Amino acid sequence: MLSNRVVLITGAGGGIGRGIAQAVMKRGAAVIVTDVDAASADGTAKILADEYDAEDVMAAAMDITDRDAVADTIEAGVARFGKIDGLVNNAAVLADPGPLLDSDPAKRQKEVEVNLGGTIICSQAFVRQVIKQKTGGNIVNLASEGGLRAHVMMANYSVTKAGVINLTQAQSAEWCRYGINVNAICPGGIHTDMLQAAAEAKSTNSDRTATALRETWIAPQLGRKMEAIEVGYVAAFLLSEEAVLIRGQAIRVSGGLEHENLQDYET
């Protein structure tokens, strides 16, 4: 599906980003693993190199809000692999969880700067490279189920992810002329460190601990926890030519969390 393609993934030092990197390599792509933390990026790269082909993995420390660092990483990736075909904007922060009334301006701005601003910066750099190559390409933005409906105790994070969804539509409309297909994924309830942070924020208004609350967040139609690599399979598809008719969409990947379940009404 992704043979002979090169994909850069941000925030791939763990969680959903690492799962996407694993799925993309499994589908045949070479991967540029980036993370603001160099050791985390190297850790993912080692896992991928051990499981797949070490020659098809590159790790880089990269702050997605630093235009020069992003441009340098893409340049290094092109020098290594000869081109770049796909970008997954996964890196994000949950900096200001808690009651909206107590929202901290500096922390709120950090979420906007990283989650929305960083996605814009990385996308711009990627598109400029693709225009040079004249090859076309694919962008997958990681929004959130929280971008489709507000999540209490995570209001500012949800707002940034709603912005990513709108940004995806604009990118798709403007950049199709360059042969670039842009879509968004909206994960919900995937068991990662960020989910734990969300549980900790929400547990302040609950009689359950964060760990106990998190354990209730399973995919009702699956009856189990959802894994990061399963989000990666969706990303891999959207990075492929098979997704050519899917454009500017925000695809919910949450195992049916948003739906009622028949068994809730059965006796």
Side-chain angles (χ1 to χ4, degrees), residues 125-136:
F126 170 77
V127 171
R128 291 188 181 109
Q129 176 59 36
V130 168
I131 291 172
K132 287 180 186 178
Q133 296 174 179
K134 299 180 180 180
T135 57

Side-chain angles (χ1 to χ4, degrees), residues 232-254:
Y233 295 141
V234 180
F237 172 70
L238 292 175
L239 288 165
S240 74
E241 293 181 356
E242 284 90 339
V244 65
L245 297 184
I246 303 173
R247 293 179 172 268
Q249 300 302 306
I251 299 173
R252 192 179 239 132
V253 183
S254 58

Side-chain angles (χ1 to χ4, degrees), residues 54-217:
E55 296 300 315
D56 288 339
V57 184
M58 169 184 161
M62 187 182 81
D63 179 350
I64 65 171
T65 67
D66 184 334
R67 291 182 183 276
D68 291 337
V70 172
D72 289 346
T73 300
I74 288 180
E75 182 179 350
V78 172
R80 168 77 176 269
F81 296 113
K83 62 171 183 170
I84 183 170
D85 304 291
L87 169 67
V88 179
N89 285 308
N90 169 73
V93 295
L94 175 59
D96 191 30
L100 186 56
L101 190 61
D102 299 330
S103 177
D104 180 89
K107 293 178 180 178
R108 180 172 66 243
Q109 180 57 34
K110 181 67 173 179
E111 290 183 332
V112 172
E113 180 184 0
V114 175
N115 302 354
L116 194 53
T119 297
I120 292 172
I121 288 171
C122 292
S123 297
Q124 288 173 327
F126 170 77
V127 171
R128 291 188 181 109
Q129 176 59 36
V130 168
I131 291 172
K132 287 180 186 178
Q133 296 174 179
K134 299 180 180 180
T135 57
N138 297 67
I139 297 175
V140 176
N141 295 324
L142 268 290
S144 170
E145 206 267 343
L148 295 169
R149 58 174 180 143
H151 281 201
V152 296
M153 312 296 280
M154 296 174 60
N156 294 313
Y157 177 84
S158 293
V159 167
T160 64
K161 292 304 187 175
V164 168
I165 292 171
N166 194 285
L167 174 66
T168 297
Q169 296 168 0
Q171 291 175 333
S172 178
E174 292 196 22
W175 293 341
C176 61
R177 70 183 66 186
Y178 307 122
I180 296 171
N181 188 8
V182 189
N183 287 287
I185 294 175
C186 302
I190 312 301
H191 281 252
T192 63
D193 290 343
M194 188 173 287
L195 189 71
Q196 179 65 22
E200 289 170 1
K202 295 184 183 224
S203 68
T204 60
N205 281 0
S206 171
D207 58 1
R208 286 175 289 182
T209 66
T211 299
L213 188 61
R214 173 176 169 169
E215 290 303 309
T216 68
W217 295 342

